Amino acid sequence: MSDNPILLEARALSKRFGSLAAVRDVSIAFLQGEVHAIIGPNGAGKTTFLNLVSGELPATSGALYFNGEDVTGWTADRLARGGLGRSFQHSSVFENLSVHENVRLAAQTQFPQAFGLFLPAERYAGVNRRVDEVLLDMALAASTAARAGEISHGEQRQLEIAMLLAISPKVMLLDEPTSGMSRNETLAMIEVLRRVSRQRTLVLVEHDMEVVFELADRITVLVNGAVLASGAPDKVREDAAVRAAYLGPE
């Protein structure tokens, strides 16, 4: 993976809330086509770091580069239009709409003409093709007509990722994608993320170490808002400081 170009890079990113340093001089380079997991104990700054990278929060200091361009200070919607997709710890689907309608709303952002006043959105072939492709890829084709609020929690998480895929992001920032899942749902999500990662870069904040070590090409460990270790999974697993701070002796 070291030969792959850098697609997204944080340089000395910091975020302070008054006297609290939630993220402290974090520098991480995310390579094109890799799965990069960010792990650490509660309060380590993982979600705050994702919020900085996705534009949800402004950094106190430091810089962010995307595709070689300085995007420091860009808003979340501008970064999303540039190819940065973000999911959150809790599902954010439209529960009263169908699975198909949820994905179609996301896909329509890639087809501006689909917001016209004189033709129903479902008539636009390009949008529908994109929706069908994504639902098939995410193993949700059988649930296309179901209300999003009525499908299982695991399927809702898959739907959220499907909505991200519909906007064709270059990088996907996924915050705890297996949170609250059963064992079987987690195994299904691992396979979904493995398929998704074949065509794009994934930055994965995840507490389930089985998921992390199944998927990650590289791992960065945050503790108290700072990078404790970063590298290949085997290297991180054997790091004495990481074991002491987070993974434990086993």
Side-chain angles (χ1 to χ4, degrees), residues 10-83:
R11 298 183 186 176
L13 274 187
S14 296
K15 181 63 180 179
R16 300 189 68 89
F17 297 97
S19 61
L20 172 65
V23 173
R24 298 185 290 128
D25 294 321
V26 171
S27 295
I28 309 175
F30 302 100
L31 307 182
Q32 184 174 323
E34 78 168 347
V35 178
H36 194 129
I38 300 175
I39 66 173
N42 290 338
K46 304 182 298 294
T47 294
T48 301
F49 176 74
L50 279 197
N51 287 337
L52 297 178
V53 173
S54 64
E56 301 291 332
L57 282 175
T60 303
S61 60
L64 182 68
Y65 289 81
F66 184 34
N67 263 338
E69 182 177 2
D70 186 345
V71 296
T72 308
W74 282 26
T75 59
D77 61 326
R78 188 178 179 188
L79 285 168
R81 290 195 300 272

Side-chain angles (χ1 to χ4, degrees), residues 1-2 27-31 34-39 212-213 215-222 227-239 242 247:
M1 300 300 294
S2 59
S27 295
I28 309 175
F30 302 100
L31 307 182
E34 78 168 347
V35 178
H36 194 129
I38 300 175
I39 66 173
V212 169
F213 285 106
L215 293 171
D217 299 301
R218 289 194 299 145
I219 298 172
T220 294
V221 185
L222 294 185
V227 174
L228 177 64
S230 190
D234 287 345
K235 175 185 174 183
V236 170
R237 193 200 302 263
E238 298 304 321
D239 188 297
V242 173
L247 293 181

Side-chain angles (χ1 to χ4, degrees), residues 24-205:
R24 298 185 290 128
D25 294 321
V26 171
S27 295
I28 309 175
F30 302 100
L31 307 182
Q32 184 174 323
E34 78 168 347
V35 178
H36 194 129
I38 300 175
I39 66 173
N42 290 338
K46 304 182 298 294
T47 294
T48 301
F49 176 74
L50 279 197
N51 287 337
L52 297 178
V53 173
S54 64
E56 301 291 332
L57 282 175
T60 303
S61 60
L64 182 68
Y65 289 81
F66 184 34
N67 263 338
E69 182 177 2
D70 186 345
V71 296
T72 308
W74 282 26
T75 59
D77 61 326
R78 188 178 179 188
L79 285 168
R81 290 195 300 272
L84 199 64
R86 165 78 193 274
S87 76
F88 295 85
Q89 287 185 16
H90 304 289
S91 293
S92 55
V93 301
F94 299 100
E95 294 188 353
N96 291 324
L97 299 181
S98 71
V99 167
H100 188 280
E101 288 168 336
N102 269 269
V103 180
R104 191 180 70 202
L105 282 174
Q108 283 177 199
T109 65
Q110 303 300 297
F111 298 84
Q113 69 275 18
F115 289 99
L117 297 176
F118 303 107
L119 195 63
E122 61 266 25
R123 293 280 300 279
Y124 286 95
V127 175
N128 287 327
R129 277 196 302 271
R130 182 62 184 152
V131 173
D132 291 342
E133 289 168 0
V134 168
L135 290 176
L136 186 62
D137 195 39
M138 294 298 298
L140 287 170
S143 302
T144 184
R147 274 184 64 247
E150 296 175 347
I151 61 178
S152 70
H153 173 70
E155 287 178 316
Q156 286 185 356
R157 297 299 280 176
Q158 287 177 232
L159 174 56
E160 187 175 27
I161 293 174
M163 293 167 70
L164 281 184
L165 285 177
I167 66 173
S168 302
K170 298 181 180 71
V171 178
M172 295 177 66
L173 309 174
L174 305 179
D175 196 357
E176 302 281 6
T178 68
S179 176
M181 286 189 177
S182 68
R183 170 69 174 166
N184 287 338
E185 288 175 331
T186 296
L187 292 175
M189 180 60 81
I190 288 174
E191 292 308 311
V192 164
L193 295 178
R194 185 172 284 123
R195 287 199 305 274
V196 168
S197 69
R198 291 171 187 159
Q199 299 179 10
R200 54 190 49 82
T201 297
L202 265 59
V203 178
L204 180 71
V205 167

